[in-house]
């Protein structure tokens, strides 16, 4: 057995790929072409003015230009689509806001016309009282505001989806539902959340990560305005289930709760209060606005203020 | 001088026309740019070495782009597109650096 002489092998022979890459970066074709031309008696280097070279350089420049235009993030189709969608969402939101304002104005006109037409003062009073209970007229009076906000550091902006610890610090639809039901229970006569009047058909839901009241998304902080008897209503709420629930939210999850009693608060009229399938019966002309029949089972304690 | 003018002319045309590249072609753009850069630096070094050849330059540019695009395509089909792209970038990057080092030795003797 004869071993090959050690000088035959370079010590890094097993790394030829790396050595070639590092030691001979220049295309060997250049040297070969130069040698060939030298053998033919021409100069080693060709001219830099050949049309082929000009075409190739323009091509390379074109490639670089097109790439730099197309790879800028602002020109990517995805970000364009995203910007389009954001624009559409904002447009529609503006439309909804405009229509809501219009609906509120029209609602006010309807109420005024109703009062004009109902010359009988007892009928007008009855309509107004029913409207106040149902939510078709704006109300003002003593009451208090509850401001709920996410725990510090767990706002919806910062929290990553799936981060349960941060989600625990967020106000959830369940919390708002519980608090509003406790408000009704302790004698609230009218309740609104962020300027949205709650009626017998209002729904507080979670849609994705946003709180939705009557299909309109809410933004933090959540301000609940409740009107009621200034003597007893705030105390009853604080002593009842609602107060306990709020202190649990504050102590266990760090949700910020702020209560403020006030003598004169305003709750707006509900917008778009209609029934789609139920009709008012032929019980005479004393029915209030025809579309708004509250179902007594959905909200306990929502009695007429009279 | 003429090649540099051609290069800037191409860049200006590309930026002014703003042609939309179809989405399926977009992953190949960065690799094609790096391959083109490698060919350009190789050519500059060859010019300084005095052994430049236009045919070799054009062929090396075209083959660089085609081979790089093919590797990316193959990687996409095999499900390792990003890794193979990284490989292409590393290999071409090393070549660009060595060529630039040689150019620097020519120009500044350092």
């Amino acid at each position: 057995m004869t071993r090959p002489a050690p000088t035959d092998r370079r010590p890094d022979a097993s790394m030829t790929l790396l050595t070639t890459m590092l030691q001979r970066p220049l295309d060997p074709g250049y040297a070969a072409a130069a040698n060939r031309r030298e053998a033919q008696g021409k100069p080693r280097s060709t001219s830099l003015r050949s049309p082929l070279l000009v075409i190739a350089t323009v091509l390379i420049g074109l490639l670089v230009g097109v790439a730099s235009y197309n790879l800028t993030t602002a020109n990517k189709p995805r970000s364009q689509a995203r910007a389009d969608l954001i624009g559409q969402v904002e447009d529609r939101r503006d439309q909804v806001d405009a229509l809501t304002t219009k609906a509120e104005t029209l609602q006010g006109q309807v109420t005024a016309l109703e009062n004009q037409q109902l010359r009988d003062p007892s009928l007008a009073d009855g309509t107004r009282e029913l409207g106040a209970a149902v939510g078709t007229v704006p109300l003002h009076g003593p009451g208090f505001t509850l401001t709920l906000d996410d725990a510090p550091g767990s706002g919806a902006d910062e929290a990553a989806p799936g981060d349960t610890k941060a989600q625990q610090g967020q106000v959830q639809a369940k919390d708002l539902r519980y608090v509003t039901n406790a408000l009704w229970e302790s004698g609230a006569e009218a309740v609104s959340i962020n300027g949205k009047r709650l009626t017998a058909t209002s729904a507080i839901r979670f849609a994705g990560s946003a709180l939705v009241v009557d299909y309109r998304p809410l933004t933090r902080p959540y301000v609940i305005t409740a009107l009621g008897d200034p003597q007893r209503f705030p105390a009853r709420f604080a002593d009842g289930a609602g107060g306990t629930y709020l202190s649990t939210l504050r102590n266990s999850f760090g949700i910020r709760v702020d209560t403020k009693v006030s003598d004169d608060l305003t709750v707006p009229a509900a917008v778009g209060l209609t029934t789609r399938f139920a009709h008012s019966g032929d019980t005479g002309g004393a029915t209030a606005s025809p579309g708004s029949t509250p179902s007594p089972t959905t909200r306990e304690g929502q009695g007429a203020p009279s | 001088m003429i090649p540099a003018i051609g290069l800037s002319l191409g860049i200006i045309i590309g930026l002014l026309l703003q042609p939309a590249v179809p989405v399926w072609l977009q992953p190949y753009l960065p690799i094609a740019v790096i391959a083109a850069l490698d060919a350009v630096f190789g050519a500059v070094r060859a010019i300084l070495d005095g052994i430049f050849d236009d045919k070799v330059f054009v062929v090396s540019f075209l083959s660089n782009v085609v081979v790089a695009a093919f590797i990316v395509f193959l990687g996409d089909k095999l499900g390792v597109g990003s890794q193979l792209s990284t490989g292409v970038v590393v290999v071409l990057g090393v070549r660009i650096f060595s060529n630039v080092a040689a150019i620097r030795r020519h120009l500044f003797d350092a």
Side-chain angles (χ1 to χ4, degrees):
Chain A
M1 257 232 205
T2 54
R3 292 183 52 158
T7 46
D8 285 0
R9 267 169 70 93
R10 287 175 50 149
D12 57 354
S14 59
M15 300 186 287
T16 42
L17 181 65
L18 280 178
T19 30
T20 356
M21 211 170 77
L22 289 169
Q23 290 186 352
R24 295 170 50 209
L26 185 59
D27 216 320
Y30 283 120
N35 290 338
R36 210 168 43 239
R37 269 197 310 275
E38 204 170 32
Q40 290 168 2
K42 294 181 194 163
R44 279 173 70 85
S45 176
T46 57
S47 152
L48 291 182
R49 290 156 190 264
S50 77
L52 192 63
L53 181 60
V54 173
I55 292 169
T57 50
V58 171
L59 259 181
I60 293 175
L62 202 62
L63 181 67
V64 172
V66 169
S68 65
Y69 168 71
N70 275 279
L71 296 176
T72 332
T73 40
N75 301 318
K76 277 191 177 169
R78 187 183 296 175
S79 46
Q80 268 174 10
R82 195 180 144 78
D84 284 354
L85 284 177
I86 289 174
Q88 280 184 22
V89 167
E90 279 169 357
D91 285 356
R92 295 292 150 84
R93 196 171 287 165
D94 289 349
Q95 279 180 22
V96 169
D97 285 344
L99 287 177
T100 309
T101 324
K102 200 177 161 191
E104 275 167 4
T105 331
L106 290 175
Q107 184 79 57
Q109 285 178 13
V110 167
T111 316
L113 286 173
E114 260 176 15
N115 289 340
Q116 264 182 27
Q117 290 295 314
L118 296 169
R119 288 167 206 284
D120 187 348
S122 69
L123 272 183
D125 282 353
T127 310
R128 202 178 310 122
E129 278 173 11
L130 283 172
V134 166
T136 51
V137 290
L139 296 176
H140 67 96
F144 67 93
T145 55
L146 267 174
T147 309
L148 277 82
D149 203 348
D150 296 345
S154 73
D157 331 318
E158 302 125 78
D163 186 351
T164 47
K165 190 150 185 282
Q167 275 176 355
Q168 277 186 343
Q170 288 178 16
V171 179
Q172 295 179 349
K174 170 170 84 177
D175 306 334
L176 287 189
R177 273 202 294 268
Y178 195 94
V179 168
T180 44
N181 278 333
L183 283 170
W184 293 121
E185 197 183 5
S186 40
E189 290 169 356
V191 176
S192 72
I193 300 181
N194 281 18
K196 291 282 298 173
R197 176 80 168 267
L198 292 186
T199 67
T201 53
S202 294
I204 305 173
R205 297 189 308 118
F206 239 152
S209 60
L211 273 169
V212 175
V213 169
D214 283 348
Y215 305 106
R216 291 297 311 277
L218 301 182
T219 49
R220 305 183 301 124
Y222 310 103
V223 183
I224 305 175
T225 311
L227 305 186
D229 182 352
Q231 306 296 322
R232 286 180 295 162
F233 167 49
R236 269 179 74 184
F237 177 75
D239 294 341
T244 322
Y245 192 81
L246 284 184
S247 63
T248 313
L249 281 187
R250 187 168 24 204
N251 297 333
S252 306
F253 303 110
I255 286 173
R256 285 169 282 182
V257 180
D258 189 29
T259 318
K260 216 163 107 187
V261 181
S262 175
D263 284 340
D264 193 30
L265 289 168
T266 314
V267 170
V271 170
L273 194 64
T274 59
T275 54
R276 269 175 293 174
F277 300 107
H279 298 284
S280 58
D282 296 321
T283 50
T287 44
S289 56
S292 50
T293 319
S295 62
T297 49
T298 43
R299 287 269 187 239
E300 282 187 36
Q302 193 198 15
S306 55
Chain B
M1 200 60 214
I2 288 176
I5 292 171
L7 207 59
S8 353
L9 187 73
I11 293 178
I12 290 167
I13 291 175
L15 286 177
L16 286 186
L17 288 186
Q18 303 196 338
V21 171
V23 176
W24 61 267
L25 206 60
Q26 286 203 347
Y28 302 102
L29 276 181
I31 296 295
V33 168
I34 302 231
L37 270 186
D38 174 54
V40 168
F41 282 115
V44 172
R45 183 183 172 183
I47 291 172
L48 293 174
D49 283 348
I51 54 169
F52 180 73
D53 186 294
D54 50 359
K55 268 190 219 97
V56 173
F57 169 61
V58 171
V59 170
S60 80
F61 161 59
L62 290 180
S63 75
N64 264 358
V65 171
V66 168
V67 169
F70 175 71
I71 289 177
V72 174
F73 169 78
L74 199 66
D76 275 342
K77 292 291 165 220
L78 294 175
V80 289
S82 58
Q83 289 94 323
L84 273 185
S85 301
T86 313
V88 169
V89 170
V90 167
V91 169
L92 293 180
V94 167
R95 273 169 57 121
I96 289 174
F97 266 104
S98 328
N99 280 333
V100 169
I103 293 166
R104 191 193 62 210
R105 277 197 294 275
H106 269 291
L107 291 182
F108 304 114
D109 292 325

